[in-house]
Amino acid sequence: MGRILLVEDESAIARTIEFALREEGFEVEHALTGGDALRLAAAGVHDLAILDVGLPDIGGFALCRELRRGRDLPVIFLTARDAEADRVLGFEIGADDYVAKPFSPRELVARVRAVLRRSRGAPSTGAFAHDADGHRIAYHGRALDLTRYEYGLLAALLQRPGAILSRAQLMDRVWGSDSDSTDRTVDTHIKTLRAKLREVAPDADPIRTQRGLGYSLQLD
């Protein structure tokens, strides 16, 4: 069914969620803190993460960024807060769903199933062929000679075709905590990436600049 990483510091809530998920055939690994979650994530592969926003060590939003660095892990946030600003921030950093406490465990399981169905229904990548395990991308049947950061940018855009990713989101996904990187760094690498795509298909321009917002990838 799927392997779920549950990060919840309230043991009673965690036990209820674990029971509901396991009853439906899911494998669950539970972490009480963000630090424990990072160790579990480093030791194995998960299909989805359920993260409490109010963790005692690492905030849920910051933990989401760390867990999704280098891969597109589906994430559902749990929170005692239902403020609109919190929900917006959660979705802006890439959350797939947001559940406010108290909630029905059966409803949470249904949301888990829905998110997994969406994430596994791999969208068409058009002229692109992406080998995520080998960190290789081909365009119109031709392998691209990409640097580490060019690959990271294109892979991030391919994960969400049509969606606008801000420079900050791309920085988080590709450069992480590299303090020497700036928004200008993203623009420079997008420029070199576009040049390599034009070498393959001179008349195509799949990477679109969305003024004041960021970049998107159009597959048509």
Side-chain angles (χ1 to χ4, degrees), residues 47-182:
D47 298 295
L48 180 142
I50 300 173
L51 309 181
D52 183 16
V53 172
L55 296 171
D57 56 347
I58 303 172
F61 295 145
L63 178 60
C64 177
R65 293 189 182 97
E66 290 298 322
L67 290 173
R68 297 191 69 172
R69 187 159 294 151
R71 62 162 302 190
D72 192 28
L73 177 70
V75 169
I76 296 176
F77 280 122
L78 302 179
T79 180
R81 299 172 294 181
D82 194 26
E84 181 181 2
D86 288 331
R87 294 197 304 273
V88 170
L89 178 57
F91 287 124
E92 282 183 349
I93 67 172
D96 295 271
D97 207 342
Y98 200 106
V99 180
K101 300 175 183 177
F103 54 85
S104 160
R106 292 180 61 185
E107 178 188 352
L108 178 59
V109 171
R111 288 175 181 260
V112 167
R113 289 182 180 279
V115 170
L116 286 174
R117 280 197 300 270
R118 292 198 300 268
S119 67
R120 289 168 176 170
S124 168
T125 53
F128 293 92
H130 184 193
D131 174 10
D133 292 333
H135 285 202
R136 293 184 294 266
I137 299 175
Y139 184 47
H140 287 287
R142 182 169 153 188
L144 296 169
D145 182 15
L146 303 176
T147 67
R148 169 190 169 189
Y149 295 121
E150 289 167 353
Y151 167 79
L153 286 170
L154 187 52
L157 292 168
L158 278 169
Q159 286 171 354
R160 299 182 64 191
I164 299 173
L165 297 182
S166 69
R167 290 172 176 82
Q169 286 175 305
L170 291 169
M171 289 285 294
D172 277 341
R173 295 280 187 91
V174 181
W175 279 268
S177 58
D178 185 350
S179 59
D180 294 332
S181 300
T182 64

